[in-house]
Amino acid sequence: MNTIGHILTLTTFGESHGPAIGGVLDGFPSGIEVDAEFIRTCMQRRRPGQSTVTTGRQEKDEVEFLSGLLDGVSTGAPIAFIIRNSDQHSSDYDELKDLFRPSHADYAWEQRYGIRDWRGGGRSSARVTAPICVAGAMAQLAMRKLLPGVEITAFTSQIGPYSTNPAKDMEYTASMVETNAVRCPDEELAPQMEALIHDLRKEQDSVGGCVTCTVKGLPAGIGNPVFDKLEATLAAAMLGINAAKGFEYGDGFASASQRGSEHNDALRMQNGQVTALTNHSGGIQGGISNGQPLRFRVAFKPTPTIGREQLTVTRSGQDTTVAAKGRHDPCVVPRAVPVVESLTALVLLDQYLSSK
Amino acid sequence: MNTIGHILTLTTFGESHGPAIGGVLDGFPSGIEVDAEFIRTCMQRRRPGQSTVTTGRQEKDEVEFLSGLLDGVSTGAPIAFIIRNSDQHSSDYDELKDLFRPSHADYAWEQRYGIRDWRGGGRSSARVTAPICVAGAMAQLAMRKLLPGVEITAFTSQIGPYSTNPAKDMEYTASMVETNAVRCPDEELAPQMEALIHDLRKEQDSVGGCVTCTVKGLPAGIGNPVFDKLEATLAAAMLGINAAKGFEYGDGFASASQRGSEHNDALRMQNGQVTALTNHSGGIQGGISNGQPLRFRVAFKPTPTIGREQLTVTRSGQDTTVAAKGRHDPCVVPRAVPVVESLTALVLLDQYLSSK
Amino acid sequence: MNTIGHILTLTTFGESHGPAIGGVLDGFPSGIEVDAEFIRTCMQRRRPGQSTVTTGRQEKDEVEFLSGLLDGVSTGAPIAFIIRNSDQHSSDYDELKDLFRPSHADYAWEQRYGIRDWRGGGRSSARVTAPICVAGAMAQLAMRKLLPGVEITAFTSQIGPYSTNPAKDMEYTASMVETNAVRCPDEELAPQMEALIHDLRKEQDSVGGCVTCTVKGLPAGIGNPVFDKLEATLAAAMLGINAAKGFEYGDGFASASQRGSEHNDALRMQNGQVTALTNHSGGIQGGISNGQPLRFRVAFKPTPTIGREQLTVTRSGQDTTVAAKGRHDPCVVPRAVPVVESLTALVLLDQYLSSK
Amino acid sequence: MNTIGHILTLTTFGESHGPAIGGVLDGFPSGIEVDAEFIRTCMQRRRPGQSTVTTGRQEKDEVEFLSGLLDGVSTGAPIAFIIRNSDQHSSDYDELKDLFRPSHADYAWEQRYGIRDWRGGGRSSARVTAPICVAGAMAQLAMRKLLPGVEITAFTSQIGPYSTNPAKDMEYTASMVETNAVRCPDEELAPQMEALIHDLRKEQDSVGGCVTCTVKGLPAGIGNPVFDKLEATLAAAMLGINAAKGFEYGDGFASASQRGSEHNDALRMQNGQVTALTNHSGGIQGGISNGQPLRFRVAFKPTPTIGREQLTVTRSGQDTTVAAKGRHDPCVVPRAVPVVESLTALVLLDQYLSSK
């Protein structure tokens, strides 16, 4: 339940305000050099507090590797790593102990388990995505060796009313994404998104958005029918991210309005390769990569934690209200970008290993 | 890879033009009476040829149960069932043997496996969803006993330009869905959708659409964090259906444009129950059902098989064209409705069994 | 629960007196030619009624393949097959409906599931091993291509008081095994074993025994630490066979009396290969094959079904007695030989696929 | 591969001389109070250095819990724990870097992964069983609540030539086991076993042995046919312990010499319960517990690390010799006792959770 993958598996653990969060990556190929600097960079991208648009929590997020490496090279044994929780002000959350926050997992979790770690969202905190980024960075390092030339690029494609033009999806590169705090590669939209987030912070409100992800250079023939389709495992991975509400690939929901003559991707031989003239399909057919770039989009709801007063109920069944205190992140989307990238790397590497 | 579920597992098998298709349902609760008439009805709904809007293939789709039942009652042993393929005109497909159809799995499958069952789409045919409907009907029978009062209703919510009003999602009932051939509970839209499909058949074209599914009466506390969230398993199941391109639950992609103050579902006590005043969340929080109705939507692309001539390539790497012969189904959506319902029942029963 | 394997999975189904038994083999490599004659031969070996020492049940055991093959070649899609139950005299078992046979699964199964298929042992019948033999034959065909030179030889190494000399384990070949009805490659012991079985049939009693299995030509490096060790997966597979009571590999239980200086296998270079001078280890170290032949042994209890009158109880809790009617097989061991071989092939192929 | 269990899963990680070893226990029931003192006691039992018969390594083995607990109560979230490796003299092993020790996993691991953590056996060290003991203690705590009255007792039943009388298996209790350093409940044998171990230490040799385990009070109906039988999962778990060479349950290999009339357990009603008059079966029938006590035995080979000079080869393919330096444990059996108990608890709790 806390494990993803079939051959390459990642098991994560940890709560927002427990001693540590972390993960165990099993089935990872042996002989991969772990570039610590690369992993640190990947981690930093997810980490809040590094820009003006995100939450005030200062997380150090230093990764300690506990196993599976010999002189920095993977041995085939499970790679465990932990990140200590350094910024734990559990008392900030004392008043949350006895009530259920609206549109949080509080009530559902308590119905499921009869007990709930109320400190900072416990296991349902966005903090649990940090180990995913460590593992995703590891997966990217393995892919450099096993699937060279594959380029995964995730970016903020929508925040509230501002959306990038899907026709430009394939033009965006990793370096363009990192030029601004909202991780939007469109130079005109990024400042507007930033301004919106600043306004919402003042208004004690939040906003939703979308992350788009493209994968260039992926060979055809990776994936598995019928219940382990590449798109299905990607969808499951993405819907596992906190606040995710939807997944679509290729033309996605827009396909519903299209005709076959419009949606079908005609094939031609180009440079000796079977090549699709368009990519409405998004790089996958029948669960298997078709040699075209992958392209998918994930929708996120607005951060449920807002400073405004909201109606809710207590654990003992009394109507009450709640308003979040402190500084909160009005939009999860910029921080979700590296998580989407990481899960994509994990899914692709796992599917590659099972498609050999 | 051809198995779905964790405690309750369904393994399906079979190709469009092989001797038979079928499935093995394992982990099914013992002591459930199998209502053969109910299963037959569920099967008939998926079956093409029963209405004017679907493909001309006449499938008998008679289910033979091979194991796991004693005098019609489940014993806890795996329940295997097969459906013979009666309408096999493999020769119709002879010319497809040596080319890759656009936006079909032909090329990707061949890159994956080096060999491809070209007869009628082989394992990638929509026919492989028939065993899902048998298993889904079984799951519904078990739910009647284990989760009484749960009502799963899927319906066509979009075909091409025609969309139902999402505000009415919860009003639609199973009986309203079955009043017309397109399975759209909106009386005004249904005839327009039917007309569009008839027109497209003449034009040798096809169209996409959406299926919406609601689940009423589901108790809170069903689901599993973090990588086995209820929404993630539903998404994976739905993206496994042929031609599915997207999944969203609750407000889904529309959440991306919303603010937290707008999206959050305020809680109040009503009749002694924690109750959400709205259901933007779609009945799930943090991977676990929250006691509100589930609501999700699946997008489907237009049927890739169309009568119009399309550019494509041969297996030996020559540019060519292809145009489908015979009578084809211009829209998969009406037939996907019972498949969505079946997978929902399978996922919910499995998640219920693992949440006990 | 009815599935074995990780990458190559076999799901079996079926009861002794249901319509059919069968299996679904998923993850099977594509491009393998299915030699129908070879599979038929493998099946015949398990089949009772083919020799004077086994049960009188005449099973035709004709295998019908339902999917996953195109012109006799595997496509990568799941391979489903069924064997019809032709010799069903359920009424023979009518009196067993309301009592629990001693040392059968009757009582345990009913406590587990609340219902039990009493006809011929239902799902607990030895008949459920037939699909294993089909799948094992398939696995052997794949190994011929992927792991050429691997030779799996199982044989009867003990029946009651008669045991082969373990020092000769590696000398025995498949053709020696098939020279007699008890599948014992020792020419002197075989007739004594046969005579014992004939005597026991007259005495309405039964006897236990052992199957030894060797695997020559297996490369080093196949297997997975820590909980998926080659010996652990073999043990689990073997203990899944009806009536199996024990598993040991290498020197097994005899190791308990040995000293390290006696048990350790000294290593030398021979023909450029790291070579063990002895093979007390049985070809596996730390869960991974070490390049020496595998050698393991499986113990089986006497057939619990005997003609003698035994004390037992009824389902309603009354003391009673039971004596099996008809002709029964006094020793399961000869029939277990091909099952051991088949499971070995399945485990090795699966472990090989996950060790690549 | 480093995960055991289906609903309750344990993933372990860590090498002998890495920073830490540990595990993640997922699917653990919520609401269980963690008795830290009990877990510490269980850990101490496995820990070497606490008696005169074991290795000189002084391991502190302090367990740090990282997640899944709130005020000492399980929340349903994964429970991660680590044990720091404090006694790491990697340099002791420097000369092992370039040779393969006889009957160790060195060569097989290197063939599998192309790289090997040579420091103290790396992932193949007996040290990896410590996290199993932590998880086993957790499982025992959960069983006290969910399966009250179940009593798991493992003990040393053989060391070299000294064996306990199997007829007394059921008489031994946990307190009798802990009265001596070899964990043998037979007062006469224990001193002889101790003396043998002391002699072998002087002789720089080692010896094998057996652990027997009984489970009293287990209800009927726990387990799963066909490939997930209780005996099969127990066998796989036990064969996963370092140095294990065999598993048998009930009369085990002795059954091979028995007749059915002798082996079958007659049933009678006693105190309103279906009761077996004997327990040759060892408490399991057809994969499911039958209400009688479980009884099984695990064989262990002599510790492969001995001070005597042995023939072996270097990584570069040169014949050489090796002799272990320092103080080594001549017999793994006493330390394996708590590991057997722990794995039994984990398997039983997992099977119980999947049999509900």
Side-chain angles (χ1 to χ4, degrees):
Chain A
M1 299 186 298
N2 291 277
T3 299
I4 190 169
H6 185 59
I7 292 184
L8 174 72
T9 59
L10 170 67
T11 302
T12 67
F13 57 83
E15 288 79 42
S16 175
H17 285 64
I21 56 173
V24 184
L25 193 59
D26 199 9
F28 192 76
S30 59
I32 306 294
E33 273 190 62
V34 174
D35 178 340
E37 187 55 35
F38 178 73
I39 291 171
R40 196 169 302 121
T41 308
C42 292
M43 280 302 300
Q44 298 240 351
R45 292 181 65 204
R46 194 214 66 89
R47 192 164 66 84
Q50 85 278 34
S51 85
T52 54
V53 297
T54 54
T55 173
R57 178 167 176 169
Q58 296 297 329
E59 296 172 352
K60 274 204 203 152
D61 280 3
E62 282 179 11
V63 185
E64 183 189 6
F65 285 92
L66 300 179
S67 66
L69 302 175
L70 180 68
D71 299 332
V73 176
S74 65
T75 64
I79 300 171
F81 55 88
I82 58 172
I83 305 161
R84 294 277 168 187
N85 286 326
S86 52
D87 187 15
Q88 306 171 38
H89 298 151
S90 297
S91 55
D92 290 1
Y93 298 88
D94 268 2
E95 68 170 324
L96 303 181
K97 191 173 180 175
D98 293 317
L99 58 75
F100 303 122
R101 291 168 298 164
S103 290
H104 271 279
D106 300 355
Y107 175 69
W109 184 284
E110 190 143 335
Q111 291 298 107
R112 171 72 172 84
Y113 293 107
I115 182 176
R116 162 176 64 95
D117 191 337
W118 47 273
R119 303 164 306 174
R123 182 70 182 146
S124 301
S125 163
R127 183 150 177 71
V128 306
T129 58
I132 293 173
C133 291
V134 176
M138 299 287 295
Q140 296 236 31
L141 290 172
M143 288 174 74
R144 284 185 193 172
K145 190 172 174 183
L146 302 173
L147 281 169
V150 173
E151 202 181 324
I152 303 171
T153 310
F155 56 88
T156 298
S157 53
Q158 181 180 354
I159 288 183
Y162 306 110
S163 294
T164 59
N165 178 358
K168 293 189 176 175
D169 281 354
M170 301 311 303
E171 297 173 18
Y172 299 136
T173 61
S175 60
M176 295 161 74
V177 174
E178 292 304 305
T179 54
N180 56 69
V182 289
R183 296 208 168 93
C184 178
D186 184 304
E187 293 177 349
E188 286 180 36
L189 287 176
Q192 301 178 61
M193 290 173 171
E194 290 192 44
L196 173 62
I197 289 174
H198 283 288
D199 289 348
L200 287 169
R201 180 164 287 132
K202 285 179 205 147
E203 297 173 30
Q204 308 219 351
D205 209 344
S206 62
V207 71
C210 285
V211 173
T212 292
C213 186
T214 66
V215 184
K216 294 166 192 155
L218 192 70
I222 295 177
N224 288 295
V226 174
F227 290 123
D228 196 27
K229 285 180 177 165
L230 185 47
E231 64 268 40
T233 48
L234 282 171
M238 299 306 151
L239 264 300
I241 306 176
N242 303 50
K245 299 298 290 183
F247 170 90
E248 59 177 6
Y249 75 106
D251 285 1
F253 277 88
S255 314
S257 309
Q258 295 171 351
R259 300 205 170 182
S261 55
E262 176 185 2
H263 181 93
N264 283 0
D265 297 315
L267 298 177
R268 290 282 93 174
M269 292 307 296
Q270 286 183 356
N271 306 317
Q273 291 286 320
V274 175
T275 308
L277 301 184
T278 51
N279 189 13
H280 300 288
S281 299
I284 306 173
Q285 234 98 38
I288 303 169
S289 67
N290 66 2
Q292 304 305 312
L294 298 199
R295 185 166 56 88
F296 62 86
R297 203 161 69 109
V298 189
F300 293 90
K301 70 174 185 178
T303 319
T305 306
I306 57 176
R308 297 192 182 187
E309 195 171 80
Q310 301 177 87
L311 301 182
T312 196
V313 299
T314 66
R315 289 184 68 214
S316 54
Q318 305 294 317
D319 284 348
T320 184
T321 61
V322 65
K325 290 173 186 161
R327 181 182 162 98
H328 297 283
D329 194 345
C331 187
V332 299
V333 172
R335 289 175 66 192
V337 166
V339 182
V340 167
E341 248 174 53
S342 294
L343 286 167
T344 303
L346 285 164
V347 165
L348 288 178
L349 182 55
D350 184 35
Q351 289 269 0
Y352 164 74
L353 292 171
S354 69
S355 302
K356 277 195 304 183
Chain B
M1 300 188 298
N2 291 277
T3 299
I4 191 170
H6 184 59
I7 292 185
L8 175 73
T9 59
L10 171 67
T11 302
T12 67
F13 57 82
E15 288 80 41
S16 176
H17 286 65
I21 56 174
V24 184
L25 193 59
D26 199 9
F28 192 76
S30 59
I32 306 293
E33 274 190 60
V34 173
D35 178 340
E37 187 54 36
F38 178 74
I39 291 170
R40 195 168 304 122
T41 306
C42 292
M43 282 300 300
Q44 298 241 350
R45 292 181 66 203
R46 193 212 67 88
R47 194 164 66 83
Q50 84 278 35
S51 84
T52 55
V53 297
T54 56
T55 175
R57 178 166 176 169
Q58 297 297 329
E59 297 171 351
K60 272 204 205 153
D61 279 3
E62 281 179 13
V63 185
E64 183 189 6
F65 285 92
L66 300 178
S67 65
L69 302 176
L70 180 69
D71 299 333
V73 176
S74 64
T75 64
I79 300 171
F81 54 88
I82 58 172
I83 305 162
R84 294 276 168 189
N85 287 326
S86 51
D87 187 15
Q88 306 172 38
H89 298 149
S90 298
S91 55
D92 289 1
Y93 297 90
D94 267 1
E95 69 170 325
L96 303 181
K97 191 174 180 175
D98 293 318
L99 58 77
F100 303 122
R101 291 167 297 163
S103 291
H104 272 279
D106 299 355
Y107 175 68
W109 184 285
E110 188 142 336
Q111 291 297 108
R112 170 72 172 85
Y113 294 106
I115 182 176
R116 163 175 63 96
D117 190 338
W118 47 272
R119 303 164 304 175
R123 182 71 183 144
S124 302
S125 162
R127 181 148 178 75
V128 306
T129 57
I132 293 173
C133 292
V134 176
M138 298 288 293
Q140 295 237 32
L141 290 173
M143 287 174 76
R144 284 184 193 173
K145 190 172 174 184
L146 301 173
L147 280 169
V150 173
E151 202 180 323
I152 303 171
T153 310
F155 56 90
T156 298
S157 53
Q158 182 180 354
I159 288 183
Y162 307 109
S163 294
T164 58
N165 178 358
K168 292 190 178 173
D169 281 354
M170 303 310 304
E171 296 172 18
Y172 299 137
T173 61
S175 59
M176 293 161 75
V177 174
E178 292 304 305
T179 55
N180 55 70
V182 288
R183 295 208 170 95
C184 178
D186 183 304
E187 292 178 348
E188 286 180 36
L189 288 176
Q192 302 179 60
M193 290 174 170
E194 289 193 45
L196 173 63
I197 290 174
H198 282 288
D199 288 350
L200 286 168
R201 179 163 289 132
K202 284 178 207 147
E203 297 173 30
Q204 308 216 351
D205 210 342
S206 62
V207 71
C210 287
V211 173
T212 293
C213 185
T214 65
V215 184
K216 295 166 191 154
L218 193 70
I222 294 177
N224 288 297
V226 171
F227 290 123
D228 195 27
K229 285 180 177 164
L230 185 47
E231 62 268 40
T233 47
L234 281 171
M238 299 307 151
L239 264 301
I241 306 176
N242 304 48
K245 299 299 288 186
F247 170 90
E248 60 177 5
Y249 75 105
D251 285 1
F253 277 87
S255 313
S257 310
Q258 296 171 349
R259 300 202 170 184
S261 54
E262 178 186 359
H263 181 93
N264 282 1
D265 297 315
L267 299 178
R268 291 281 94 174
M269 294 304 298
Q270 286 182 356
N271 305 319
Q273 290 286 318
V274 174
T275 307
L277 301 184
T278 51
N279 189 12
H280 300 288
S281 298
I284 305 174
Q285 233 98 36
I288 304 169
S289 66
N290 66 1
Q292 305 304 313
L294 298 199
R295 185 166 56 87
F296 62 86
R297 203 160 69 108
V298 188
F300 294 89
K301 70 173 185 178
T303 318
T305 307
I306 57 176
R308 297 192 183 187
E309 196 171 79
Q310 301 177 89
L311 301 181
T312 196
V313 300
T314 65
R315 289 185 68 214
S316 54
Q318 304 296 317
D319 285 346
T320 185
T321 60
V322 65
K325 290 174 185 160
R327 180 182 163 98
H328 298 283
D329 194 347
C331 187
V332 299
V333 172
R335 288 176 67 192
V337 166
V339 182
V340 167
E341 248 175 51
S342 293
L343 286 167
T344 303
L346 285 164
V347 166
L348 289 179
L349 182 56
D350 184 34
Q351 288 268 1
Y352 165 74
L353 292 172
S354 70
S355 303
K356 277 196 305 182
Chain C
M1 299 187 297
N2 292 277
T3 298
I4 191 169
H6 184 59
I7 291 184
L8 174 72
T9 59
L10 171 66
T11 302
T12 66
F13 56 83
E15 289 80 40
S16 175
H17 285 65
I21 57 174
V24 185
L25 194 59
D26 198 9
F28 192 77
S30 59
I32 307 294
E33 273 190 62
V34 174
D35 177 340
E37 187 54 35
F38 178 74
I39 290 170
R40 196 170 301 121
T41 307
C42 291
M43 281 301 301
Q44 298 242 351
R45 292 183 65 205
R46 194 214 66 89
R47 193 165 66 84
Q50 84 278 34
S51 85
T52 54
V53 298
T54 55
T55 174
R57 178 166 176 168
Q58 296 298 329
E59 297 172 350
K60 273 204 204 154
D61 280 4
E62 281 179 13
V63 185
E64 182 189 7
F65 286 92
L66 300 179
S67 65
L69 302 174
L70 180 69
D71 299 332
V73 176
S74 64
T75 62
I79 300 171
F81 54 88
I82 58 172
I83 305 161
R84 293 277 169 188
N85 287 325
S86 51
D87 187 14
Q88 305 171 38
H89 298 151
S90 297
S91 55
D92 290 0
Y93 296 89
D94 268 1
E95 68 170 324
L96 303 181
K97 191 174 180 176
D98 292 318
L99 57 77
F100 303 123
R101 291 167 298 164
S103 289
H104 271 280
D106 300 354
Y107 175 68
W109 184 283
E110 188 142 338
Q111 291 298 107
R112 170 72 171 85
Y113 294 106
I115 182 175
R116 164 176 63 97
D117 190 337
W118 48 272
R119 302 164 305 175
R123 183 71 182 144
S124 301
S125 163
R127 182 148 177 75
V128 306
T129 58
I132 293 172
C133 292
V134 176
M138 298 287 294
Q140 295 237 33
L141 290 172
M143 287 174 75
R144 284 185 192 173
K145 188 171 176 185
L146 301 173
L147 281 169
V150 174
E151 201 180 325
I152 302 171
T153 310
F155 56 89
T156 297
S157 53
Q158 182 180 352
I159 288 183
Y162 306 110
S163 293
T164 59
N165 179 358
K168 293 190 177 173
D169 281 354
M170 302 311 303
E171 297 173 18
Y172 299 137
T173 60
S175 59
M176 295 161 75
V177 174
E178 293 303 306
T179 55
N180 55 69
V182 289
R183 297 209 168 93
C184 177
D186 184 303
E187 292 178 348
E188 287 180 36
L189 287 176
Q192 300 179 61
M193 290 173 170
E194 290 193 43
L196 173 62
I197 289 174
H198 282 289
D199 289 349
L200 286 169
R201 180 164 287 132
K202 284 178 206 147
E203 297 173 30
Q204 308 218 347
D205 210 343
S206 62
V207 69
C210 286
V211 173
T212 293
C213 185
T214 66
V215 184
K216 295 166 191 154
L218 193 70
I222 294 177
N224 288 296
V226 173
F227 291 122
D228 196 27
K229 286 181 176 163
L230 185 47
E231 63 269 41
T233 47
L234 281 171
M238 299 307 151
L239 264 300
I241 306 176
N242 303 49
K245 299 299 289 185
F247 170 91
E248 59 178 6
Y249 75 104
D251 285 1
F253 278 87
S255 314
S257 310
Q258 295 171 350
R259 299 201 171 186
S261 55
E262 179 185 358
H263 182 94
N264 283 0
D265 298 314
L267 298 178
R268 291 282 92 173
M269 293 306 297
Q270 286 183 358
N271 306 318
Q273 290 286 319
V274 175
T275 308
L277 301 184
T278 51
N279 189 12
H280 299 289
S281 298
I284 306 173
Q285 234 98 36
I288 303 169
S289 65
N290 66 2
Q292 305 304 313
L294 297 201
R295 184 166 56 86
F296 62 86
R297 203 161 69 107
V298 189
F300 294 89
K301 69 174 186 178
T303 320
T305 306
I306 56 176
R308 297 191 183 188
E309 193 171 81
Q310 300 177 88
L311 301 182
T312 197
V313 298
T314 65
R315 288 183 69 214
S316 55
Q318 304 295 317
D319 285 347
T320 185
T321 61
V322 66
K325 290 174 186 160
R327 181 183 163 99
H328 298 284
D329 194 346
C331 188
V332 299
V333 172
R335 288 175 67 191
V337 165
V339 183
V340 167
E341 249 174 52
S342 294
L343 286 168
T344 303
L346 286 164
V347 165
L348 288 178
L349 182 56
D350 183 35
Q351 289 269 0
Y352 164 74
L353 292 172
S354 69
S355 302
K356 279 196 301 184
Chain D
M1 301 185 298
N2 291 276
T3 299
I4 190 170
H6 184 59
I7 292 185
L8 175 73
T9 58
L10 171 66
T11 302
T12 67
F13 56 82
E15 289 80 42
S16 175
H17 286 63
I21 55 173
V24 184
L25 192 60
D26 198 9
F28 192 76
S30 59
I32 307 294
E33 274 190 62
V34 173
D35 179 340
E37 187 54 37
F38 178 74
I39 290 171
R40 195 170 302 121
T41 306
C42 291
M43 282 300 301
Q44 298 242 350
R45 291 181 67 203
R46 194 213 66 89
R47 193 165 65 84
Q50 83 278 35
S51 85
T52 54
V53 297
T54 55
T55 175
R57 177 166 176 171
Q58 297 297 328
E59 295 171 353
K60 272 205 204 150
D61 280 4
E62 282 179 12
V63 185
E64 184 190 6
F65 285 92
L66 300 178
S67 65
L69 302 175
L70 179 69
D71 299 333
V73 176
S74 65
T75 63
I79 299 171
F81 54 88
I82 58 172
I83 304 163
R84 294 277 169 188
N85 287 326
S86 50
D87 186 15
Q88 306 172 38
H89 299 150
S90 297
S91 56
D92 289 1
Y93 297 89
D94 268 1
E95 68 170 324
L96 303 182
K97 191 173 179 176
D98 293 318
L99 58 76
F100 302 123
R101 291 167 299 163
S103 290
H104 271 280
D106 300 354
Y107 175 68
W109 184 285
E110 190 143 335
Q111 291 297 108
R112 171 72 171 84
Y113 294 106
I115 182 176
R116 162 176 65 95
D117 190 338
W118 48 272
R119 303 164 305 175
R123 183 70 183 146
S124 301
S125 163
R127 183 149 177 75
V128 305
T129 57
I132 293 173
C133 292
V134 176
M138 298 288 293
Q140 295 236 31
L141 290 173
M143 287 174 75
R144 283 184 193 173
K145 189 172 173 184
L146 301 173
L147 280 169
V150 173
E151 202 179 325
I152 303 172
T153 310
F155 56 89
T156 297
S157 53
Q158 182 180 353
I159 289 183
Y162 307 109
S163 293
T164 58
N165 178 357
K168 291 189 178 175
D169 281 354
M170 302 311 302
E171 296 172 19
Y172 299 137
T173 60
S175 60
M176 294 161 75
V177 174
E178 291 304 304
T179 56
N180 55 70
V182 288
R183 295 209 168 94
C184 177
D186 183 305
E187 292 178 349
E188 286 180 36
L189 288 175
Q192 301 178 59
M193 290 173 170
E194 290 192 43
L196 173 63
I197 289 174
H198 283 288
D199 290 349
L200 287 169
R201 178 164 288 133
K202 285 179 205 146
E203 297 173 30
Q204 308 218 351
D205 209 343
S206 62
V207 69
C210 286
V211 173
T212 293
C213 186
T214 66
V215 184
K216 295 166 192 156
L218 192 70
I222 294 177
N224 288 297
V226 170
F227 291 123
D228 195 27
K229 285 180 177 165
L230 185 47
E231 62 268 40
T233 48
L234 281 171
M238 299 306 151
L239 265 301
I241 306 176
N242 303 51
K245 298 299 290 185
F247 170 90
E248 59 178 5
Y249 76 104
D251 284 1
F253 277 87
S255 314
S257 310
Q258 295 171 350
R259 300 203 169 184
S261 54
E262 179 185 359
H263 181 93
N264 282 0
D265 297 315
L267 298 178
R268 290 282 93 173
M269 294 305 296
Q270 286 183 357
N271 305 317
Q273 290 286 320
V274 174
T275 307
L277 300 184
T278 51
N279 189 12
H280 299 287
S281 300
I284 305 173
Q285 233 99 38
I288 303 169
S289 66
N290 67 2
Q292 304 304 314
L294 297 200
R295 185 166 55 88
F296 63 85
R297 204 160 69 109
V298 189
F300 293 90
K301 71 174 185 178
T303 319
T305 305
I306 58 177
R308 298 192 182 187
E309 196 172 80
Q310 301 177 88
L311 302 181
T312 197
V313 299
T314 65
R315 289 184 68 214
S316 55
Q318 304 296 317
D319 285 347
T320 186
T321 61
V322 66
K325 289 173 185 161
R327 182 180 161 100
H328 297 284
D329 193 347
C331 187
V332 299
V333 172
R335 287 176 69 192
V337 166
V339 183
V340 167
E341 249 173 52
S342 293
L343 285 167
T344 303
L346 285 164
V347 166
L348 288 179
L349 182 56
D350 184 35
Q351 288 269 0
Y352 164 74
L353 292 172
S354 69
S355 303
K356 277 195 304 182

